[in-house]
Amino acid sequence: MVVPSFSRRRALGSAAAGVAALAAAPGFSPARAEAVPARRQPAPSGTYRIDLHAHVLPPDYRAALLAHGHFTIGGYPTPTWSPDEAIAFMDYYGIQAQALSVSDPGVSFLRGAEANDLARYCNDYAAQLIRTHPSRFGAFAVLPMPDIAASIDEAIHALDTLRLDGVVLLSAYDGVYLGDPRFEPLMIALNQRRAFVFVHPAAIPADAKPELPLPDFMEEFTFDTTRAATMMMVTGTTQRYPDIRFQLSHAGGTVPFLSHRISVASQTVLGELWPQDLPKPSILDIQHQISRFYFDTALSGFPAAMASVLAVTSRDHIVFGSDWPFSAATLPQTGDHDPAPGLSEIFDADQRMEVERHNPLRQLPRLAEAVNA
């Protein structure tokens, strides 16, 4: 079976596929050579995967995006989405369930009551989808950010009443990154609920980034995830709210690669300028904080990315993500229906089962109960 939308080969998708191929090119020398099998190992069989980076575009939400000029997301043409397409995709690629989330720009292109109503619509839509297909879908709630008071109300409704599996936050809102003191009241509410928070990158405004002929999803998205993670660490957010579990998109952006540079910042001249009201992180502290993040495999299921993640955290902090439907043009269509064959270049079958199933289910107990019923 071939899902119809998979055949849409766009130029941008082909470019991303080329970048992904480079990550798996011969000659790659990982930091932990002993963790990489000598040759590709077989993947587990069956429909077992749990996808923690998958997107939903409810009908009215997609219509609102287009009405406000969002014809592309991160440089990728705004895709269509339906429950039937999602289930067909999952069946084709051996995915048992997806935890759905609204991608960039969330509902932040609206303000006030319009943003509140659209967030509530998306979350109610997701809750109904879970009721209809309890073993196939979970969801992370979208919040009407950057309105903190309204976002707290919506988070409480989504987590306590709708029983969604967590929330999705963008890396920044109006140029203000996660970790900023303005977000403290929301973090308090999420920490009280021991929430799972999926951090998704946001597009940088055109007047705040270099003019390059590259779509945001290729590089800028990874950089913005890095900025958000770094700000949450250096401002103490990840220390003050240890019961929030943060999932970083796309293998954490460049966090693993920059982990040492981030950790030594306070030991340089910057340490002399460190604000007195913020904890001054040490090298070991930053390394510990990085190790506590969860890193998904979306568009990153290759030795170069995974070896970097394994250098900063343990395997139980890696979770599977497909980034569908935005990744539709780059997913392999092979006889074994493996959505991330590059994972078998660094993980054996048991390890892939851990990354692609056990780790995600440990973080989302409601979904675990539903898929194991």
Side-chain angles (χ1 to χ4, degrees), residues 87-329:
I87 290 172
F89 163 77
M90 287 192 281
D91 289 345
Y92 184 87
Y93 283 112
I95 298 170
Q96 184 174 0
Q98 289 182 325
L100 300 171
S101 60
V102 169
S103 184
D104 179 53
V107 299
S108 62
F109 61 95
L110 301 175
R111 288 295 188 267
E114 286 187 303
N116 299 346
D117 290 346
L118 189 57
R120 179 61 56 91
Y121 159 75
C122 290
N123 295 333
D124 286 344
Y125 183 95
Q128 180 58 49
L129 194 63
I130 291 171
R131 287 191 290 270
T132 304
H133 305 282
S135 64
R136 303 309 303 268
F137 293 112
F140 300 135
V142 61
L143 307 180
M145 294 286 280
D147 186 329
I148 300 301
S151 293
I152 292 173
D153 288 344
E154 188 59 30
I156 292 172
H157 174 74
L159 297 174
D160 296 0
T161 302
L162 298 180
R163 293 194 66 222
L164 298 188
D165 298 286
V167 303
V168 57
L169 293 177
L170 299 182
S171 51
Y173 296 90
D174 297 341
V176 179
Y177 282 86
L178 299 182
D180 188 276
R182 281 167 277 193
F183 300 146
E184 288 288 289
L186 175 61
M187 295 299 169
I188 292 172
L190 295 175
N191 192 68
Q192 289 171 341
R193 287 161 178 78
R194 303 177 65 88
F196 191 86
V197 175
F198 173 34
V199 179
H200 192 279
I204 301 174
D207 60 358
K209 66 180 178 181
E211 292 186 12
L212 301 174
L214 300 172
D216 283 348
F217 77 84
M218 281 186 68
E219 295 179 344
E220 295 300 332
F221 268 12
T222 64
F223 301 154
D224 225 49
T225 297
T226 304
R227 296 183 186 104
T230 301
M231 288 301 296
M232 287 194 292
M233 289 187 289
V234 301
T235 61
T237 296
T238 49
Q239 293 171 304
R240 289 191 297 278
Y241 306 112
D243 289 332
I244 300 177
R245 293 154 295 144
F246 291 102
Q247 173 187 331
L248 302 181
S249 297
H250 311 122
T254 61
V255 168
F257 177 79
L258 296 175
S259 58
H260 182 71
R261 294 173 70 98
I262 296 169
S263 68
V264 301
S266 64
Q267 276 69 54
T268 67
V269 67
L270 289 178
E272 301 174 10
L273 306 175
W274 209 266
Q276 292 184 355
D277 57 342
L278 291 179
K280 185 177 176 181
S282 67
I283 294 176
L284 292 178
D285 175 65
I286 290 293
Q287 290 175 347
H288 172 68
Q289 291 186 62
I290 291 175
S291 73
R292 293 185 65 249
F293 285 120
Y294 291 84
F295 300 79
D296 73 47
T297 67
L299 297 178
S300 306
F302 301 94
M306 290 296 100
S308 295
V309 173
L310 287 170
V312 298
T313 193
S314 53
R315 194 172 55 247
D316 61 356
H317 277 238
I318 303 175
V319 295
F320 173 72
S322 71
D323 211 354
W324 193 80
F326 293 94
S327 61

